[in-house]
Amino acid sequence: MNSAERSSVFSIAGIYGLRMLGLFLILPVFALYAEGLEGVTPTLIGLALGIYGFTMAMLQIPFGWLSDRIGRKPVIAAGLLIFAVGSVVAAMADSIWMVIIGRALQGSGAIAAAMMALLADLTREEVRTKAMAVVGMTIGMSFTVALIAGPMLSTWVGVDGIFWFTALFALLSIAVLYLLVPDPDHLSMHRDVEAVPGEFGRILKDGQLLRLDFGIMILHGIIMSLFIALPFVLRDHLDIPAVDHPWVYLPVLLVAIAFMVPLIIVAEKKEKMKQVFLLSISMIALSCLLLGLWHDSMVPVMAALLLFFIAYNVLEATLPSLISRMAPIDAKGTAMGVYSTSQFFGAFIGGAVGGWCYGQFDVQGVFFGAGSLALLWLIVAYGMKMPVMRSSVMAHVDSDVDALALEMDILKLAGVFEAKVVPEENAIFLRVDKKLYNADALAALLKPEMTGQAVEG
């Protein structure tokens, strides 16, 4: 990346990180805090945790489309302002219903799609995969930091104070957006990161993609439901004060990251993706079973959390990669949009259903319910066909080419397995075997008036 791209990418990643940190900070502490709110029930605790996912799922793609028409920054700034207002409402709430309204408003600031479009506007195709990886790592770090910092902050400033900090993070993000993120030269449609309305039918008919969408929905439903029960397990069953909960999560998360890396290497480099994928889902199910059976004992709880977070980290890293490899080469953005919507909707379902399970069956009901969902996911995923490990490539082309003829010629090149020419976007999308593919051969095929620099995505 050049200096302008680095500045853009790290600034946008910072906005992502601050926003997600604000959402994640209350996860490990909200269930305990909500006990003191007026009108609280276990179901409403879960609804308050997960409601942001519903509004975010409903609005993220429309916000992305709106940014194509009126500009990225106005949409992102408006979303951050809505997020800040929701945080203030939650901070000032004295009833569970006011918190629910505040959390719903937080999710209504659904800027993920608009942010990705802005990132694409400000980066060249050949560095876009790296840029998206930086954003992904920032979100992952935000989750880890939140599990440690949330209980500490709640002790110092209370959960209402965390909501005030979240509002401040949103306002700081608006400042970063206008002071540090450059204005794009022009707005473009980027099929590799944006949802295209006409492609939804094709994506929603793809059974393999739907398995992955179902999986991310279940995964985020499980983690949301677990954080309804875990704070009570640590406080009431293991007699660990809330202020000391970070010292439970910290070693588990560090060890989980250390184990995650070799598993991903085995999956990617040794081409054992399906085996690692199914193993990780099985670990999720086993961890929930352990928590359901032995949540009164420290060793089983720590073992279960370790298994869970190893598997969670592996699945969070591999699921987007699988979506990218399985999606039609010219509709990856649409596939990722459906995937993200499923993820947010899973958080909503997990919160609402997990809260109900806690109210009806106590913590073991939450854990056994989550384990049952993991087993269902394992059954669904077992029949999934893993994609061949091929890379996505983009190249530029003039708008007046014969798309069909050019596609046929490109498919004759060594290492090219799929080709789609989209003249109206001056783009060629390829799926290739990097060991056989030669970018110079594509450049030689393209006419002199075309720009033949192929870029990997």
Side-chain angles (χ1 to χ4, degrees), residues 40 122 129 157-158 168 193 213 248 287 325 348 368 374 387 396 425:
V40 70
L122 295 171
T129 300
V157 299
L168 178 61
V193 298
D213 297 332
V248 176
S287 67
R325 290 189 172 114
F348 166 65
F368 288 140
H396 299 293
E425 296 176 21

Side-chain angles (χ1 to χ4, degrees), residues 118-133:
L118 178 61
L119 185 73
D121 287 336
L122 295 171
T123 55
R124 293 164 294 154
E125 291 91 342
E126 55 262 42
V127 300
R128 193 166 297 149
T129 300
K130 294 179 182 178
M132 293 173 69

Side-chain angles (χ1 to χ4, degrees), residues 87-140:
S87 301
V88 170
V89 170
M92 298 178 67
D94 57 6
S95 73
I96 189 67
W97 281 108
M98 285 302 295
V99 175
I100 290 170
I101 292 171
R103 290 282 284 172
L105 282 171
Q106 283 185 320
S108 298
I111 60 171
M115 289 284 287
M116 293 309 298
L118 178 61
L119 185 73
D121 287 336
L122 295 171
T123 55
R124 293 164 294 154
E125 291 91 342
E126 55 262 42
V127 300
R128 193 166 297 149
T129 300
K130 294 179 182 178
M132 293 173 69
V134 170
V135 172
M137 288 188 292
T138 302
I139 295 173

